[in-house]
Amino acid sequence: MCRSIKTLRPPALPYEATEDDIRAAALQYVRKVSGFHRPAAHNREVFDQAVDEIAAATARLLDGLEVRGLKKPEREPQPDAV
């Protein structure tokens, strides 16, 4: 349905999905389903609530999945702090 949403579980990602990864996927989903890239002010609250709920459900899904035959992925590499 929404080709720009990427798979967030291993082995598709070489690292554990971050909150930003999950939120971006939720946002893409809500944009696709609602037909709005940026909702009008009167729709903003319900749009944002949907993104929050879908992101939370996605995080629970990813936390509960068991991918057999793979070791647990590491977190996304962070840039070196200066």
Side-chain angles (χ1 to χ4, degrees):
M1 179 174 128
C2 195
R3 293 185 182 137
S4 60
I5 297 174
K6 64 183 177 179
T7 301
L8 298 180
R9 68 161 181 82
L13 281 184
Y15 56 86
E16 188 175 309
T18 65
E19 287 182 34
D20 288 341
D21 294 328
I22 293 169
R23 182 131 183 110
L27 178 59
Q28 284 299 104
Y29 177 81
V30 172
R31 285 175 173 169
K32 185 68 164 188
V33 170
S34 70
F36 295 115
H37 183 72
R38 291 192 184 121
H42 62 277
N43 287 325
R44 171 56 67 186
E45 184 177 348
V46 71
F47 187 94
D48 290 343
Q49 181 180 357
V51 172
D52 292 343
E53 290 173 6
I54 292 166
T58 301
R60 287 192 304 273
L61 170 67
L62 293 173
D63 286 343
L65 289 176
E66 178 183 336
V67 182
R68 295 186 176 179
L70 293 174
K71 66 178 187 171
K72 186 164 175 84
E74 296 178 12
R75 290 231 174 250
E76 180 179 17
Q78 300 297 317
D80 294 330
V82 176

